[in-house]
Amino acid sequence: MMSQAVVRNTSRRPSTRRAIALASAMAAVATVALTGYIQPAAAADAAPKAVAATRVNADESIRPFHVHVPQSQLDDLRKRIAATRWPDKEPVADESQGIQLAQVQELVKYWGTKYDWRKAEAQLNALPQFVTKIDGLDIHFIHVKSKNPNALPLILTHGWPGSIFEFVKTIGPLTDPTAYGGRAEDAFDVVIPSIPGYGFSGRPTELGWNPERTARAWDVLMKRLGYTQYVSQGGDHGSVVSDALARQAPAGLKAIHLNMPATVPGPVMRSILAGDPVPQELTDPERKAYQSLSTFFGRNAAYGGMMVTRPQTIGYSLADSPAGLATFTYEKIAEWSDSNGVPERVLTRDAILNDITLYWLTNTGASSSRYYWENNNNNFSADAQKTRDIKVPVAISVFPHEIYQAPESWSKQAYPSLYYYKTVSKGGHFAAWEQPQLFAEELRAAFKSVR
């Protein structure tokens, strides 16, 4: 929560030099006030040029952001991990009852003895980070500008149980494509915000921070950064936010790209939820998608049911038990990544723990779960997401280990403005995190025609 000194408006617009000095001063106050352990960023002249355009109205200011967690919090985390009381071993030889004890114990033991959060801090602090207040809430974001003056502005939205860490390794290929096998004209300016209630963004204390409101905030953010035209990308919650943004169709939104689109026809979704057998009239790709979603809703969606209906109840466990948080999160990373149940095959253990530790240190287990309660919609249903109302150009990339592989037939029916569809060779639900180079190549190809 910001102090009154920070949020007070100024009656006159000061000179540019004074504006920059004021922005730097506000950063020193605002970043500390945000969470209690975020330290002031370096001097304003060390921040990207975008900061020079910071507005002096406190409600619209863009302040540099720097992470430093007190050692006492890290020591407390290790003590809690060491004191974990484990359940007994599962009496089955597979994951049919949930993530297996030995797999989780190995991860948590490493977390408590060898993992180093300071490396994650350094990774984030090497990037230009900012915070700005939108619609009464602090929004944290990474903003990396390409050296190419004609770069296409791009906003990337993460999901659950992900975070801004999902996109860190895509920044290079997106902003500097020539260094990663692309062309200079493929460059993007990249904006990576934390969803309200996630990471270093504010935790909503009022109802209504749903995907629609988030989408409106994203448009404000892009315009506040000086962009008059931009594109949006998302998977998981990010796909829902991008859909909402496309339905709103604000001036300047050129196109969206999705890697978890809402393509399932209404009657088909009703059959899936009812547990009906596969309809005979479905094509092979549609049949495969039907079976994947039947398995998901029949056996693997209990986590979502809890967060949609009782986010506060699960929040107590996620806020108090590191092992509980790690297990709840790690199971989905294992299940949804293209790794045959062993996510360390595609993500380093440190990368996985960076994400989990971010949830722990920001105490966002409950607030991130509430985003499900606010959405309370079927994220795969074309009817529920009102995709046919979207007129903005839509691009879709299908990764082979996504929760379901959206068939092209359903995609064309769901999104009348679909102009790009491609199935790629590897990757799962966490496409950008698992396959950053391939993900970047897909975005270059998908947005090429709308530049």
Side-chain angles (χ1 to χ4, degrees), residues 43 68 83 95 219 268 270 293 309 323 329 361 401:
H68 181 76
E95 299 81 19
D219 184 61
V268 175
R270 288 191 286 274
L293 286 171
T309 61
T329 303
L361 294 173
H401 203 78

Side-chain angles (χ1 to χ4, degrees), residues 166-183:
E166 289 185 64
F167 297 114
V168 167
K169 287 191 175 180
T170 70
I171 293 173
L174 291 170
T175 60
D176 186 15
T178 56
Y180 295 86
R183 306 172 304 163

Side-chain angles (χ1 to χ4, degrees), residues 22-37:
L22 179 59
S24 181
M26 287 193 297
V29 177
T31 52
V32 172
L34 186 62
T35 65
Y37 60 75

Side-chain angles (χ1 to χ4, degrees), residues 13 19-20 23 26 49-56 60-64:
R13 190 177 186 87
I20 295 173
M26 287 193 297
K49 292 181 179 179
V51 178
T54 299
R55 302 179 184 180
V56 296
E60 297 184 358
S61 64
I62 299 172
R63 287 96 66 197

Side-chain angles (χ1 to χ4, degrees), residues 268-298:
V268 175
M269 183 56 73
R270 288 191 286 274
S271 293
I272 290 171
L273 296 178
D276 294 341
V278 181
Q280 291 298 315
E281 66 271 16
L282 297 186
T283 65
D284 286 345
E286 293 168 352
R287 179 180 297 268
K288 181 180 178 182
Y290 189 103
Q291 291 170 334
S292 294
L293 286 171
S294 293
T295 300
F296 173 78
F297 284 109

Side-chain angles (χ1 to χ4, degrees), residues 311-335:
Q312 190 68 17
T313 299
I314 189 61
Y316 298 111
S317 298
L318 301 179
D320 188 62
S321 170
L325 172 67
T327 303
F328 198 65
T329 303
Y330 181 73
E331 180 188 61
K332 295 309 163 193
I333 298 174
E335 185 178 319

Side-chain angles (χ1 to χ4, degrees), residues 76 82 109 143 153 156 177 244 250 321 325 350 374 387 391 402 407 421 425:
D76 175 71
K109 180 180 178 180
H143 182 202
L156 299 165
S321 170
L325 172 67
D350 283 346
E374 289 283 3
T387 58
K391 303 297 189 292
E402 182 54 86
Y421 175 96
S425 61

Side-chain angles (χ1 to χ4, degrees), residues 28-287:
V29 177
T31 52
V32 172
L34 186 62
T35 65
Y37 60 75
I38 308 304
Q39 300 302 310
D45 58 3
K49 292 181 179 179
V51 178
T54 299
R55 302 179 184 180
V56 296
N57 183 326
D59 286 340
E60 297 184 358
S61 64
I62 299 172
R63 287 96 66 197
F65 189 85
H66 187 93
V67 184
H68 181 76
V69 175
Q71 187 59 41
S72 60
Q73 291 194 23
L74 301 178
D75 293 342
D76 175 71
L77 172 58
R78 286 198 165 187
K79 288 178 182 177
R80 288 171 179 263
I81 291 172
T84 299
R85 186 173 77 160
W86 295 100
D88 55 332
K89 185 180 183 297
E90 65 281 350
V92 293
D94 55 22
E95 299 81 19
S96 59
Q97 292 190 350
I99 197 78
Q100 293 178 290
L101 179 65
Q103 190 175 4
V104 176
Q105 284 184 323
E106 186 178 356
L107 175 76
V108 173
K109 180 180 178 180
Y110 179 88
W111 194 17
T113 58
K114 296 181 180 179
Y115 171 75
D116 184 2
W117 167 256
R118 297 300 182 202
K119 292 181 180 179
E121 275 189 352
Q123 186 180 37
L124 290 177
N125 289 333
L127 298 168
Q129 298 178 86
F130 305 92
V131 65
T132 190
K133 189 179 291 293
I134 300 176
D135 198 8
L137 195 71
D138 287 311
I139 301 298
H140 165 263
F141 62 97
I142 296 168
H143 182 202
V144 182
K145 300 190 72 174
S146 172
K147 294 179 180 178
N148 185 337
N150 297 316
L152 178 63
L154 163 69
I155 186 165
L156 299 165
T157 310
H158 66 84
W160 182 93
S163 66
I164 55 174
F165 278 116
E166 289 185 64
F167 297 114
V168 167
K169 287 191 175 180
T170 70
I171 293 173
L174 291 170
T175 60
D176 186 15
T178 56
Y180 295 86
R183 306 172 304 163
E185 54 267 36
D186 293 328
F188 296 89
D189 282 357
V190 175
V191 178
I192 309 172
S194 297
I195 291 175
Y198 285 73
F200 298 118
S201 281
R203 291 176 295 204
T205 57
E206 62 179 6
L207 298 181
W209 272 103
N210 54 28
E212 287 74 18
R213 189 171 178 180
T214 304
R216 290 192 293 270
W218 279 193
D219 184 61
V220 171
L221 174 60
M222 296 304 279
K223 303 288 175 54
R224 190 170 293 178
L225 291 171
Y227 296 124
T228 57
Q229 294 187 323
Y230 65 96
V231 293
S232 175
Q233 196 286 326
D236 196 86
H237 285 321
S239 68
V240 181
V241 172
S242 292
D243 274 346
L245 189 61
R247 286 195 303 272
Q248 294 164 11
L253 178 64
K254 296 173 70 68
I256 65 170
H257 176 274
L258 310 170
N259 58 282
M260 195 193 80
T263 70
V264 185
V268 175
M269 183 56 73
R270 288 191 286 274
S271 293
I272 290 171
L273 296 178
D276 294 341
V278 181
Q280 291 298 315
E281 66 271 16
L282 297 186
T283 65
D284 286 345
E286 293 168 352
R287 179 180 297 268

